[in-house]
Amino acid sequence: MKNKFSWKEDIMITTWLIFEMAGTIAFAFSGAAVGLYKRMDIFGITVLSVMTAVGGGMIRDVLCGITPPSVLRSPEGLIVSIVTALVVGFGYPLFRIPKSGKWVITILYHLSDTIGLAAFTVTGALTAFYRYPGYDIVLPVMLGLITAVGGGIIRDMMARRMPVVLYMDVYAIASIAGGLLLCALREPLGTPLASWISFAFVLLLRFLAIHYHWQLYHPHRRFRRIQRD
């Protein structure tokens, strides 16, 4: 019985590590992209990249009572985010993209930001399952959301932008929906499979929202329409 529990625990930890590293690289790239857009130097790009990649996870760990945060005890994520920032920062001049091709950068930014959102939604929920197994819905969903959007909020505030979570398409809602789906599928399908399905679901929902320009209700937009009429 003990071996069986250990086997399941190892799979859960491996799943967490896969999504944690994927989210770290993706968010590090998105942070570096914003730094390039804001014309920061290599230090500014690196800081923005690191804070985007590990900020949400650090908030998650503090809320879970994991101190020091895991990124400071096992700095692989910190190192990966720094390397990603340096590669993007020093590599950008070598691949100059004309103004007519700026859409490529936009696509790469949305792709990396969406992958980070989906991956960290999963890692946040998995952390809740592992640390507090008695909480099945609210805690996993909220930790998934905080992990997914925390780094992006720090990134946007440091870059003096309105955080995208407050206005962009279906962003936080995609994370919440993915967390709920993971909670619902965890028991019948098992944590690893449920995690991958949740990850894919968040990706799909975000890509559909971007492609079809899905927006949540905007009171000011409705008010302007009434004024025009």
Side-chain angles (χ1 to χ4, degrees):
M1 192 72 178
K2 184 177 179 181
N3 290 337
K4 182 179 180 181
F5 176 78
S6 177
W7 177 74
K8 288 185 177 181
E9 188 178 66
D10 288 344
I11 292 180
M12 186 172 178
I13 292 174
T14 302
T15 303
W16 185 90
L17 289 173
I18 291 172
F19 285 113
E20 184 77 0
M21 191 55 61
T24 298
I25 295 172
F27 266 154
F29 181 89
S30 76
V34 173
L36 287 173
Y37 178 77
K38 288 292 185 176
R39 297 184 178 277
M40 296 181 180
D41 61 17
I42 191 64
F43 179 77
I45 291 171
T46 302
V47 170
L48 212 61
S49 179
V50 170
M51 294 311 299
T52 309
V54 306
M58 292 180 72
I59 297 172
R60 172 201 66 209
D61 289 351
V62 171
L63 291 176
C64 282
I66 304 174
T67 54
S70 57
V71 69
L72 300 181
R73 289 182 287 109
S74 301
E76 293 86 357
L78 186 64
I79 295 171
V80 167
S81 59
I82 292 174
V83 170
T84 302
L86 294 177
V87 169
V88 173
F90 286 110
Y92 177 72
L94 303 178
F95 300 95
R96 278 288 182 180
I97 300 176
K99 289 185 177 180
S100 59
K102 293 297 183 182
W103 60 271
V104 176
I105 298 179
T106 301
I107 290 177
L108 289 176
Y109 167 77
H110 283 306
L111 178 63
S112 62
D113 198 53
T114 299
I115 292 174
L117 181 79
F120 280 172
T121 295
V122 173
T123 62
L126 291 181
T127 300
F129 293 143
Y130 182 75
R131 295 284 296 185
Y132 302 99
Y135 297 86
D136 296 327
I137 299 178
V138 176
L139 183 61
V141 172
M142 291 306 299
L143 276 185
L145 175 63
I146 291 169
T147 309
V149 306
I153 290 176
I154 297 173
R155 172 198 65 203
D156 293 339
M157 292 178 66
M158 293 183 69
R160 301 181 67 181
R161 309 194 313 174
M162 179 185 291
V164 295
V165 67
L166 300 180
Y167 70 89
M168 180 179 285
D169 308 312
V170 179
Y171 196 83
I173 295 298
S175 176
I176 293 172
L180 289 172
L181 182 64
L182 177 53
C183 292
L185 298 180
R186 180 172 169 250
E187 286 298 327
L189 299 182
T191 300
L193 181 56
S195 298
W196 283 104
I197 292 175
S198 176
F199 174 76
F201 176 76
V202 176
L203 286 181
L204 178 62
L205 188 57
R206 274 292 295 142
F207 286 143
L208 289 175
I210 294 171
H211 181 74
Y212 292 106
H213 305 288
W214 290 346
Q215 295 281 342
L216 299 179
Y217 170 68
H218 280 252
H220 291 287
R221 184 183 302 156
R222 179 178 176 83
F223 180 71
R224 287 197 298 268
R225 190 182 301 120
I226 292 173
Q227 282 186 323
R228 288 198 299 269
D229 294 343

mmCIF file of all heavy atoms in Angstrom, residues 51-68:
data_model
loop_
_atom_site.group_PDB
_atom_site.id
_atom_site.type_symbol
_atom_site.label_atom_id
_atom_site.label_comp_id
_atom_site.label_asym_id
_atom_site.label_seq_id
_atom_site.Cartn_x
_atom_site.Cartn_y
_atom_site.Cartn_z
ATOM 1 N N MET A 51 10.529 38.082 -12.912
ATOM 2 C CA MET A 51 9.353 38.350 -12.092
ATOM 3 C C MET A 51 8.087 37.748 -12.708
ATOM 4 O O MET A 51 7.197 37.291 -12.002
ATOM 5 C CB MET A 51 9.174 39.852 -11.883
ATOM 6 C CG MET A 51 10.278 40.493 -11.057
ATOM 7 S SD MET A 51 10.633 39.601 -9.517
ATOM 8 C CE MET A 51 9.053 39.702 -8.676
ATOM 9 N N THR A 52 8.011 37.758 -14.035
ATOM 10 C CA THR A 52 6.858 37.150 -14.703
ATOM 11 C C THR A 52 6.864 35.644 -14.508
ATOM 12 O O THR A 52 5.818 35.024 -14.274
ATOM 13 C CB THR A 52 6.875 37.465 -16.210
ATOM 14 O OG1 THR A 52 7.025 38.866 -16.409
ATOM 15 C CG2 THR A 52 5.581 37.014 -16.871
ATOM 16 N N ALA A 53 8.057 35.053 -14.586
ATOM 17 C CA ALA A 53 8.176 33.593 -14.544
ATOM 18 C C ALA A 53 7.980 33.022 -13.144
ATOM 19 O O ALA A 53 7.381 31.958 -12.985
ATOM 20 C CB ALA A 53 9.538 33.163 -15.088
ATOM 21 N N VAL A 54 8.477 33.709 -12.110
ATOM 22 C CA VAL A 54 8.461 33.122 -10.768
ATOM 23 C C VAL A 54 7.572 33.878 -9.788
ATOM 24 O O VAL A 54 7.338 33.393 -8.677
ATOM 25 C CB VAL A 54 9.893 33.029 -10.187
ATOM 26 C CG1 VAL A 54 10.810 32.288 -11.145
ATOM 27 C CG2 VAL A 54 10.463 34.409 -9.871
ATOM 28 N N GLY A 55 7.071 35.043 -10.182
ATOM 29 C CA GLY A 55 6.285 35.855 -9.254
ATOM 30 C C GLY A 55 5.026 35.164 -8.762
ATOM 31 O O GLY A 55 4.738 35.137 -7.556
ATOM 32 N N GLY A 56 4.270 34.586 -9.675
ATOM 33 C CA GLY A 56 3.034 33.907 -9.292
ATOM 34 C C GLY A 56 3.291 32.710 -8.399
ATOM 35 O O GLY A 56 2.555 32.462 -7.436
ATOM 36 N N GLY A 57 4.357 31.961 -8.706
ATOM 37 C CA GLY A 57 4.698 30.798 -7.894
ATOM 38 C C GLY A 57 5.134 31.182 -6.488
ATOM 39 O O GLY A 57 4.834 30.477 -5.521
ATOM 40 N N MET A 58 5.830 32.302 -6.371
ATOM 41 C CA MET A 58 6.257 32.763 -5.050
ATOM 42 C C MET A 58 5.052 33.175 -4.205
ATOM 43 O O MET A 58 4.984 32.857 -3.008
ATOM 44 C CB MET A 58 7.243 33.919 -5.186
ATOM 45 C CG MET A 58 8.572 33.513 -5.793
ATOM 46 S SD MET A 58 9.746 34.882 -5.948
ATOM 47 C CE MET A 58 10.186 35.137 -4.237
ATOM 48 N N ILE A 59 4.103 33.863 -4.820
ATOM 49 C CA ILE A 59 2.879 34.228 -4.097
ATOM 50 C C ILE A 59 2.134 32.968 -3.655
ATOM 51 O O ILE A 59 1.662 32.868 -2.516
ATOM 52 C CB ILE A 59 1.970 35.110 -4.979
ATOM 53 C CG1 ILE A 59 2.671 36.422 -5.317
ATOM 54 C CG2 ILE A 59 0.642 35.390 -4.281
ATOM 55 C CD1 ILE A 59 1.927 37.262 -6.338
ATOM 56 N N ARG A 60 2.044 31.995 -4.547
ATOM 57 C CA ARG A 60 1.392 30.715 -4.241
ATOM 58 C C ARG A 60 2.046 30.030 -3.050
ATOM 59 O O ARG A 60 1.367 29.580 -2.126
ATOM 60 C CB ARG A 60 1.467 29.814 -5.467
ATOM 61 C CG ARG A 60 1.000 28.375 -5.250
ATOM 62 C CD ARG A 60 1.576 27.469 -6.317
ATOM 63 N NE ARG A 60 3.025 27.360 -6.225
ATOM 64 C CZ ARG A 60 3.808 27.119 -7.275
ATOM 65 N NH1 ARG A 60 3.311 26.974 -8.479
ATOM 66 N NH2 ARG A 60 5.133 27.030 -7.108
ATOM 67 N N ASP A 61 3.373 29.965 -3.070
ATOM 68 C CA ASP A 61 4.085 29.276 -2.001
ATOM 69 C C ASP A 61 3.894 29.965 -0.653
ATOM 70 O O ASP A 61 3.722 29.302 0.374
ATOM 71 C CB ASP A 61 5.571 29.190 -2.344
ATOM 72 C CG ASP A 61 5.856 28.207 -3.473
ATOM 73 O OD1 ASP A 61 4.920 27.471 -3.860
ATOM 74 O OD2 ASP A 61 6.992 28.177 -3.959
ATOM 75 N N VAL A 62 3.943 31.299 -0.654
ATOM 76 C CA VAL A 62 3.757 32.029 0.604
ATOM 77 C C VAL A 62 2.357 31.780 1.152
ATOM 78 O O VAL A 62 2.174 31.557 2.360
ATOM 79 C CB VAL A 62 4.001 33.534 0.394
ATOM 80 C CG1 VAL A 62 3.591 34.326 1.632
ATOM 81 C CG2 VAL A 62 5.471 33.799 0.077
ATOM 82 N N LEU A 63 1.354 31.780 0.289
ATOM 83 C CA LEU A 63 -0.015 31.531 0.735
ATOM 84 C C LEU A 63 -0.181 30.112 1.269
ATOM 85 O O LEU A 63 -1.014 29.867 2.147
ATOM 86 C CB LEU A 63 -1.003 31.775 -0.416
ATOM 87 C CG LEU A 63 -1.177 33.228 -0.858
ATOM 88 C CD1 LEU A 63 -2.101 33.298 -2.077
ATOM 89 C CD2 LEU A 63 -1.741 34.078 0.269
ATOM 90 N N CYS A 64 0.613 29.173 0.741
ATOM 91 C CA CYS A 64 0.538 27.780 1.193
ATOM 92 C C CYS A 64 1.430 27.501 2.393
ATOM 93 O O CYS A 64 1.478 26.367 2.878
ATOM 94 C CB CYS A 64 0.931 26.844 0.052
ATOM 95 S SG CYS A 64 -0.360 26.590 -1.159
ATOM 96 N N GLY A 65 2.164 28.507 2.839
ATOM 97 C CA GLY A 65 3.060 28.296 3.969
ATOM 98 C C GLY A 65 4.361 27.636 3.591
ATOM 99 O O GLY A 65 5.071 27.100 4.453
ATOM 100 N N ILE A 66 4.709 27.655 2.285
ATOM 101 C CA ILE A 66 5.978 27.084 1.832
ATOM 102 C C ILE A 66 7.025 28.196 1.863
ATOM 103 O O ILE A 66 7.098 29.029 0.950
ATOM 104 C CB ILE A 66 5.855 26.501 0.416
ATOM 105 C CG1 ILE A 66 4.737 25.465 0.353
ATOM 106 C CG2 ILE A 66 7.172 25.905 -0.046
ATOM 107 C CD1 ILE A 66 4.452 24.937 -1.040
ATOM 108 N N THR A 67 7.805 28.243 2.907
ATOM 109 C CA THR A 67 8.820 29.287 3.044
ATOM 110 C C THR A 67 10.159 28.657 3.420
ATOM 111 O O THR A 67 10.206 27.762 4.273
ATOM 112 C CB THR A 67 8.413 30.302 4.136
ATOM 113 O OG1 THR A 67 8.132 29.619 5.353
ATOM 114 C CG2 THR A 67 7.183 31.086 3.708
ATOM 115 N N PRO A 68 11.263 29.118 2.802
ATOM 116 C CA PRO A 68 11.283 30.048 1.676
ATOM 117 C C PRO A 68 10.573 29.443 0.459
ATOM 118 O O PRO A 68 10.476 28.219 0.361
ATOM 119 C CB PRO A 68 12.777 30.242 1.404
ATOM 120 C CG PRO A 68 13.485 29.763 2.624
ATOM 121 C CD PRO A 68 12.619 28.688 3.190
#
